[in-house]
Structures are given as C-alpha cells and as structure tokens.
Amino acid sequence: MVQNYYQKEIETMSVEEMKKLQSEKLKKQVKHVYENVPYYKNLMDEKGVKPEDVNGIEDLHKLPFLTKADLRDAYPYGLLAKPLEDCVRIQSTSGTTGRRVVAFYTQKDVDLWEDCCARAIVAAGGSNKDVCQIAYGYGLFTGGPGLNGGSHKVGCLTLPMSSGNTERQIQFMTDLSATILCCTPSYAAYIGETLKEQGYKPEDIPLKAGIFGAEPWTEEMRRSIEETLGIKAYDIYGLTETSGPGVAFECSEQTGMHINEDHFLAEIIDPDTGEVLPEGTKGELVFTALDKEAFPLLRYRTRDICVLSRKKCSCGRTLIKMAKPMGRSDDMLIIRGVNVFPSQIETVLLEQGYTPNYRIEVDRANNNDTLDVYVELTSDQFSDTVKDIAIKEKELASAVKTMLGINPKMHLVPPKSIARSEGKAVRVVDKRKLHD
C-alpha cells in the first residue's frame, strides 16, 4: 500500500529522535513562557519551579497545570506571550459555559497549525488532485479556518462552504465533484440523510473521504456515515486552546489518532490526583504546546478521557496515538450516583438501528434524578402503530439499562422533530439545579 505523508521526516521519525526534539523545544518554551507570561510565572513560582529545573521532557511533571478556569481568569490578554503587534489572528471557543476562551496566533502559529491540518488531509488520502469541501463553521470557530488552510497547503481545490445551507452544500458537492468532506459528524450524518431523501445512492456521491471532528462520535455512527455517503470517515481532534483541529488525526488504520507530537506533547494523568499515568492507562489528556509563540499553554488539562499508545501502525507513522476520547471528566453526568457518558447511550441507539439524532434530558423530581432520552425515528420506523412504538420504547429502555445500570425513560419521536445542529450538536440538557 503506497503511503503518503505531508512531512514524512517528522511523521516517521524514530521515537528517540522525537523525544530529543521535544526536550529541546520544551526547554525553550518554558523559558519563553516564564519570561513573557506573568500569570504562568506566578504559578511556577508558587510551585517553586524555575526554567533551569526543566532540562527535558522527563522534567515536565514539575510544571504546574493550566485549566480552563485559568484561561477564563486570564481573559483576554493574561496568557499572551508575544506583543499584540506580533499577532495576526484570534480564534475563540463558543463560550456556552462561561467566558469565552480567546487564543492568539502569530503568522508562524498559523503556518504550523495549517501544516498539522495538511497532515490530516494527506492521511485521509488527500492530494492536489482532490476537491476539499469545508463545511465546518468559519469565523471565530477553529474548524473552518484550520482545515481551509490545511487544504490550501496540500493543494486541494478548496470549497469554503462553512456550515449550513444543506441544499447548496449538495449542489456544490455534486456539481464540483467534491472528494473530501470536512465537517462535524452530526452534520455529515444530516447531509447523508438529505442525500438519501433526494434519491442519491452511495455510489452516486463523488466523495471518497470525510474528516469529522469537534464533537464526540461513536464507531457505530462512523459506520452509519460511511455506509450512507460511501466514504471512509476519519476522525480529527483539536482544541481552540492548543490551536484548533489537527492536534491529532486518524490514518487509514482508523485505530486512534496520531498526535502531532513535534508540536504537542501529550500526557495522561489521574483526573483526581494529577499523577502522571503510564502509557496504555486510561486517564485525562494533558497537552503542552511546544512551539506556539503567542498563546503557548503548558500542561493544559483538556478534560478529555482517553488512552495513549505507541503500538506500531500499518500506515508507517511513528507519532503516538490517542484513542477516541471516551467522554470528558467535566461532561460526565452523575445520575443516581452512576457515571454516565452520552456516548454510551449513542452506542446503544445505533446498535439497535436508530438514528444518531437524539437528546438527553436530565432533571430532578422529588429529590430523585430522572433520565429522559428522545430519539428520532426514520419515516419507515414512524409508520409503525402506537402500540409497536410503545413496545420499541420498552425494548430500548431495557438495552440502555443494561449498558448504564439505571432506568431511562425512552421517547421515540417523529422524524425531523429534534433540531439539527450545523455546528456542534447539543446532545445533553441538564435541568437539575445542582449548583447555586
């Protein structure tokens, strides 16, 4: 199998060489941050750590963590490590859970980020012969700008569609023979659903690959998208805080995402104690940006729960792999004392033949937690009698109870009755008043 790489010497570098490169970059970055970011200097001083105490990646554990709370406290300029006149762009999170996080970029930061996205596109089979349709949101959201820049670097014909206007997406996809689609998995599923309704079969769709990220999705959802669109669906991972998509990307093996570890140094920690865990152990993912200039976060806690692996990959890349995040330490719901991740419910739904269009509502009645799951039926399923639907709700509730250990109330609802998201899908509504 012919393997294509965007930057082969880095993507196939030996582990020893990579660690040496990471150590050199880390020493420089710690000095840069200590001298230019008073907020982080204070954290280091409190911990009694000086730049000269960090001589390589083996000393990383000495440094303090950064969390999203730090980013909010330091908003907007408190973590900036370069003069504003050296910065050329900001990107920002959606800010749905409080103050926005604003990340700054120098031109070099933008170039490195676009290189990371270009690696992802090439790993998905992209080249200058491809037409890359970017249906992630543009603007402050990192999805559109990141993949757009990566697509340019690879030399693809780039369709900067942004999200939404599905009719136009389909028109351009078919008229211009788009071969790679980049968007959220929930939007890819919606495009696939709409194409199917319009009578398209997978073989009529010009796409060969999709690069989907920005929200959690299961293997079942991957298979469903691949079947509907007739493509291979690749995962991509990133955070606005560390630049955006392209921190890690999937290759043809589809068994986890290669981390661009020449730029992002990954650790797994125990989310409760902060202790660094050995490779292969499940825990919280922590990133250190090794060569970001304007907004260089050291030991940033992502809250994503996953596993790292250096198992040899058939694609030839030696970059460490992260498993698909298994949930988030801060998104986990505790319902009646049980830890529940939305992805567990999605797995059951897709295994039972339902669509990935669902909404989870958690509430509290008489001091008891309630769990309601609304699942959209396809038009075929909706033609069943009320009695049949009631039986299906019971069967589904039983399957979810087997997975979670708690009883949900399932609601099978008409087609198109759950609002579609063109950005990140909002799957969970927690109505409990748990915090004053």
Side-chain angles (χ1 to χ4, degrees):
M1 184 177 175
V2 179
Q3 286 301 343
N4 290 320
Y5 309 98
Y6 178 68
Q7 291 167 317
K8 187 177 180 183
E9 68 291 349
I10 294 165
E11 294 174 59
T12 60
M13 185 180 273
S14 76
V15 175
E16 295 69 37
E17 281 181 285
M18 180 60 77
K19 288 187 169 174
K20 195 175 159 210
L21 177 65
Q22 289 176 325
S23 287
E24 286 165 11
K25 287 187 172 188
L26 180 64
K27 274 176 74 171
K28 276 188 199 155
Q29 191 69 306
V30 171
K31 191 170 183 292
H32 170 56
V33 171
Y34 190 82
E35 289 173 358
N36 293 291
V37 183
Y39 188 97
Y40 199 75
K41 178 184 184 294
N42 291 341
L43 290 179
M44 281 178 67
D45 289 346
E46 275 169 29
K47 217 175 171 209
V49 191
K50 293 279 181 275
E52 51 271 25
D53 298 329
V54 179
N55 293 303
I57 57 174
E58 66 283 356
D59 295 323
L60 184 64
H61 68 277
K62 296 176 181 174
L63 293 168
F65 292 114
L66 274 176
T67 65
K68 200 159 225 175
D70 289 308
L71 270 61
R72 291 190 180 125
D73 290 348
Y75 173 92
Y77 299 123
L79 288 164
L80 189 60
K82 280 280 190 183
L84 263 184
E85 53 267 33
D86 291 351
C87 299
V88 297
R89 190 190 303 175
I90 66 146
Q91 302 284 166
S92 176
T93 58
S94 53
T96 49
T97 54
R99 257 186 186 170
R100 285 178 173 273
V101 169
V102 174
F104 296 84
Y105 301 73
T106 62
Q107 187 56 53
K108 186 186 169 201
D109 292 336
V110 173
D111 287 338
L112 291 181
W113 174 27
E114 290 178 350
D115 282 343
C116 290
C117 290
R119 290 181 195 176
I121 291 168
V122 173
S127 74
N128 59 2
K129 295 181 175 63
D130 283 288
V131 177
C132 194
Q133 181 159 340
I134 317 287
Y136 283 110
Y138 279 68
L140 290 171
F141 177 57
T142 54
L147 271 305
N148 190 90
S151 175
H152 277 235
K153 287 214 166 179
V154 174
C156 303
L157 175 63
T158 308
L159 310 184
M161 303 294 295
S162 196
S163 57
N165 199 333
T166 307
E167 292 302 316
R168 188 176 62 192
Q169 300 276 1
I170 289 170
Q171 184 195 340
F172 275 73
M173 183 185 291
T174 50
D175 290 354
L176 293 167
S177 297
T179 49
I180 299 172
L181 174 65
C182 303
C183 62
T184 59
S186 54
Y187 194 47
Y190 182 51
I191 289 173
E193 199 180 293
T194 310
L195 281 160
K196 199 172 175 182
E197 282 170 8
Q198 292 183 1
Y200 286 91
K201 295 185 176 66
E203 58 271 22
D204 304 329
I205 301 166
L207 296 173
K208 66 176 186 183
I211 300 175
F212 307 131
E215 63 189 25
W217 54 309
T218 57
E219 286 303 311
E220 291 76 18
M221 189 168 180
R222 186 209 299 267
R223 284 195 287 276
S224 164
I225 291 170
E226 287 186 333
E227 280 165 25
T228 312
L229 291 173
I231 60 170
K232 194 157 177 167
Y234 295 84
D235 209 345
I236 190 168
Y237 176 90
L239 307 146
T240 303
E241 298 91 318
T242 52
S243 69
V247 169
F249 61 91
E250 226 171 17
C251 64
S252 53
E253 198 177 272
Q254 293 177 305
T255 55
M257 291 170 276
H258 290 287
I259 294 172
N260 283 312
E261 53 178 335
D262 53 322
H263 301 309
F264 305 103
L265 178 53
E267 305 169 89
I268 293 287
I269 64 163
D270 179 315
D272 297 323
T273 66
E275 178 202 352
V276 180
L277 300 174
E279 184 198 307
T281 314
K282 186 164 102 172
E284 182 184 339
L285 184 61
V286 172
F287 276 119
T288 293
L290 291 170
D291 38 23
K292 276 198 75 179
E293 295 182 328
F295 198 68
L297 302 188
L298 304 184
R299 299 198 87 199
Y300 180 67
R301 295 185 60 162
T302 67
R303 297 293 177 189
D304 283 325
I305 303 294
C306 78
V307 175
L308 297 179
S309 166
R310 281 217 181 266
K311 202 172 154 205
K312 196 173 176 188
C313 186
S314 61
C315 79
R317 287 175 181 81
T318 49
L319 299 169
I320 198 166
K321 272 186 181 173
M322 60 178 274
K324 188 186 272 292
M326 298 153 190
R328 287 171 62 79
S329 60
D330 58 353
D331 279 1
M332 180 179 75
L333 295 160
I334 300 177
I335 302 170
R336 293 173 225 155
V338 176
N339 294 353
V340 174
F341 288 106
S343 56
Q344 294 173 299
I345 294 173
E346 184 175 304
T347 296
V348 175
L349 298 182
L350 290 158
E351 277 173 355
Q352 301 285 327
Y354 292 93
T355 70
N357 297 311
Y358 63 93
R359 192 175 74 250
I360 297 165
E361 285 191 7
V362 188
D363 210 338
R364 185 159 280 179
N366 305 321
N367 293 321
N368 259 331
D369 291 338
T370 60
L371 172 62
D372 288 78
V373 184
Y374 296 81
V375 185
E376 207 176 86
L377 294 169
T378 62
S379 42
D380 293 349
Q381 292 165 330
F382 191 59
S383 60
D384 290 349
T385 63
V386 171
K387 188 179 168 191
D388 288 339
I389 287 175
I391 291 167
K392 283 182 173 171
E393 284 176 339
K394 261 189 172 162
E395 288 169 351
L396 198 47
S398 167
V400 172
K401 188 187 177 195
T402 303
M403 167 70 89
L404 302 178
I406 55 173
N407 258 319
K409 191 157 176 33
M410 305 303 297
H411 308 266
L412 295 175
V413 299
K416 301 279 168 75
S417 58
I418 292 174
R420 293 296 190 278
S421 169
E422 290 162 353
K424 289 192 184 191
V426 178
R427 302 284 196 204
V428 182
V429 180
D430 193 341
K431 297 175 171 176
R432 296 173 294 181
K433 299 278 186 288
L434 298 182
H435 305 287
D436 293 323

